[in-house]
Amino acid sequence: MNDERELWEVRVGFVATEQQAEQLKEQIARLLCPEPDHAPPCRLPWQIVLSRPDDTEVYESVLIQDRIEHRA
């Protein structure tokens, strides 16, 4: 195993309203940094970017599941 630190990305696709997406973003932020008022830097540097995917094909199974669950 390589012990060298590298930049990693975790992608999560979900179907939600804009308000729900913002709420989920905040919940994930609290998981990454449970003490937001601590002195910098974080032990694990991180950043959250909330965006709509350009390629929805990656999340086709999520879209199908949403249609099934919500009968759309």
Side-chain angles (χ1 to χ4, degrees):
M1 224 153 149
N2 184 355
D3 288 338
E4 187 175 326
R5 293 170 53 91
E6 299 178 55
L7 178 63
W8 292 87
E9 178 181 64
V10 175
R11 292 184 181 194
V12 178
F14 57 93
V15 179
T17 65
E18 188 172 347
Q19 181 180 7
Q20 290 170 326
E22 286 292 340
Q23 289 172 343
L24 183 57
K25 176 182 160 186
E26 290 303 315
Q27 290 173 354
I28 292 170
R30 291 308 122 237
L31 288 173
L32 294 170
C33 185
E35 298 178 40
D37 297 327
H38 71 79
C42 275
R43 289 187 317 121
L44 178 69
W46 60 276
Q47 175 182 352
I48 294 178
V49 176
L50 183 61
S51 64
R52 291 178 182 88
D54 293 330
D55 181 11
T56 58
E57 207 171 289
V58 173
Y59 298 111
E60 186 62 29
S61 63
V62 175
L63 295 170
I64 291 170
Q65 180 182 344
D66 179 63
R67 283 193 294 269
I68 291 168
E69 296 288 332
H70 295 95
R71 307 280 187 240

